Amino acid sequence: MEATVTTANNNEKTWGGGEDIQPLGASYGKMMMWFFIVSDALTFSGFLAAYGFSRFKFIETWPLADEVFTHFPFMHGVSAPMYYVALMTFILIFSSVTMVLAVDAGHQLKKTKVAIYMFLTIIGGLIFVGSQAWEWKNFIKGEYGAVETAGGSLLQFVDAKGERVALEEFAVKLPEQREALTRSHSTWFMEDAETQATYTVAEVQAGFKAHPELLIRTEQIIENNGKKSKKVLTRAEAETRLATAKYVVEGANLTRNEYGSKLFADFFFFITGFHGFHVFSGVIINIIIFFNVLLGTYEKRRSYEMVEKVGLYWHFVDLVWVFVFTVFYLV
C-alpha cells in the first residue's frame, strides 16, 4: 500500500492509502470523501452565488415564494404557503439524525441497530425525492395562468380584493382558429408557444372584457407596511396592457414562467434538480451499504467505516439543502 520516492539524499514514503500514514488522522477513504465534499461545496456555492446576483438584478420582478409554493398533498384548492416545503425539510433533517445514529451504532458494532437506522434514512431520502418530484409537477403545471406581452412583461389576473383568478374562471372559448398540425408541421416545428396553451390570447382578452370586475397585476413588487405584493393596475391600464399580450403562459418551464421572472424557473429547475440528483445518489449508495450491513460484510471486518463515509456524504446533501431552502423559499 505504500510507495517510496527515492532522491539523491533520502528515501521518503508517500501516502498510498495505507493505515500507517494517515494525514489529519483520517483514513484514505474518508480523506477522499472530504475532497469530494469540498469540491462539490464549491460547485453549489457557484450556483447559489449566480442565483443571488440574478435575483438582485431583477429583484423588482422576482416571484414571491409565498405565492409560488402553496400546494399541499390532498388539499387541492387550499393555499398552504411553504407548509409542504417545511415538511420536506424536516424529513431530510430527520434522516440526517437517523444517519448519525447509524454511524454511532456502527462504532459500537451493533449490526441490527445500524440496519434499522440506515433503513429509516433510506425511507426519509425516498420521501424527500418523491416530494421534490411532486413539487416540480405542480410548478410545471401551474395553477392560475398568465399572459406575456410583446415586451416580455407578465400580466396576472386578480379580483377586486387582489386575489388571483385562474384563466379557466373567465376565459371564453371562441370558434377554433388554431392551425391543424400535420406530420410535417407538428408541435416541435412551431415557434408559437400559444399553441401549447389551453386558451388563446384572443380567448383570454374576450373573457377579460366580459368580466368588468377583473383587474390585472404586473410582475413589479411594491412594499406596503413591510408587506410585499405585486402592483395592481386600474381597469383602463389593464385593458391597454392586455391589448399587447402575445402569449398565454401556464405553469413554468425553461422558456416562460407564469409566476414571474424566467430566470427564477431556470435556477429552480437546475439547482433543486442538481441537489435532488445528489439525494437520489445518496439513497442508492445507502441501499447498497444497507444490504452489505445485512449480509454482515462490515461485521466480519469489525469496522463500519463505510457507513461513516456515506454518512459524511448524507450530512453534506442535508446541509446544502438548508442553503437551497433559504435562498429559494425564505429570503
Side-chain angles (χ1 to χ4, degrees), residues 96-117:
S96 196
V97 174
T98 57
M99 178 57 79
V100 169
L101 295 174
V103 172
D104 181 65
H107 289 159
Q108 301 175 42
L109 300 179
K110 295 181 178 179
K111 173 184 172 182
T112 303
K113 284 190 174 182
V114 173
I116 291 173
Y117 290 130

Side-chain angles (χ1 to χ4, degrees), residues 252-312:
N253 51 51
L254 297 179
T255 305
R256 292 185 174 84
N257 176 14
E258 77 165 53
Y259 303 100
S261 174
K262 305 175 184 66
L263 279 177
F264 177 84
D266 296 341
F267 278 113
F268 179 81
F269 287 127
F270 189 78
I271 295 178
T272 62
F274 192 56
H275 177 265
F277 172 75
H278 278 70
V279 177
F280 180 74
S281 300
V283 169
I284 298 301
I285 297 171
N286 274 329
I287 290 174
I288 295 172
I289 303 300
F290 171 71
F291 279 111
N292 280 334
V293 170
L294 294 181
L295 293 172
T297 302
Y298 310 122
E299 191 74 16
K300 295 173 185 176
R301 297 178 186 175
R302 306 299 293 171
S303 172
Y304 283 83
E305 186 179 291
M306 282 300 296
V307 176
E308 188 173 354
K309 285 187 282 191
V310 75
L312 289 174

Side-chain angles (χ1 to χ4, degrees), residues 170-176 178 197-200 202-204 206-207:
F170 68 90
V172 297
K173 280 293 184 180
L174 298 176
E176 188 66 34
R178 302 187 183 189
T198 306
Y199 304 98
T200 65
E203 290 170 341
V204 173

Side-chain angles (χ1 to χ4, degrees), residues 148-217:
E148 184 178 315
T149 66
S153 299
L154 195 72
L155 304 178
Q156 302 169 334
F157 300 91
V158 297
D159 57 22
K161 297 180 181 179
E163 300 293 331
R164 290 287 303 277
V165 177
L167 297 181
E168 62 185 19
E169 296 181 30
F170 68 90
V172 297
K173 280 293 184 180
L174 298 176
E176 188 66 34
Q177 297 177 346
R178 302 187 183 189
E179 181 180 354
L181 301 181
T182 62
R183 185 177 182 86
S184 61
H185 192 216
S186 51
T187 304
W188 49 85
F189 289 103
M190 303 187 71
E191 297 180 357
D192 188 359
E194 186 184 344
T195 58
Q196 303 297 317
T198 306
Y199 304 98
T200 65
V201 170
E203 290 170 341
V204 173
Q205 290 171 332
F208 183 78
K209 186 176 181 180
H211 291 77
E213 74 281 3
L214 292 181
L215 297 173
I216 284 178
R217 72 176 192 178

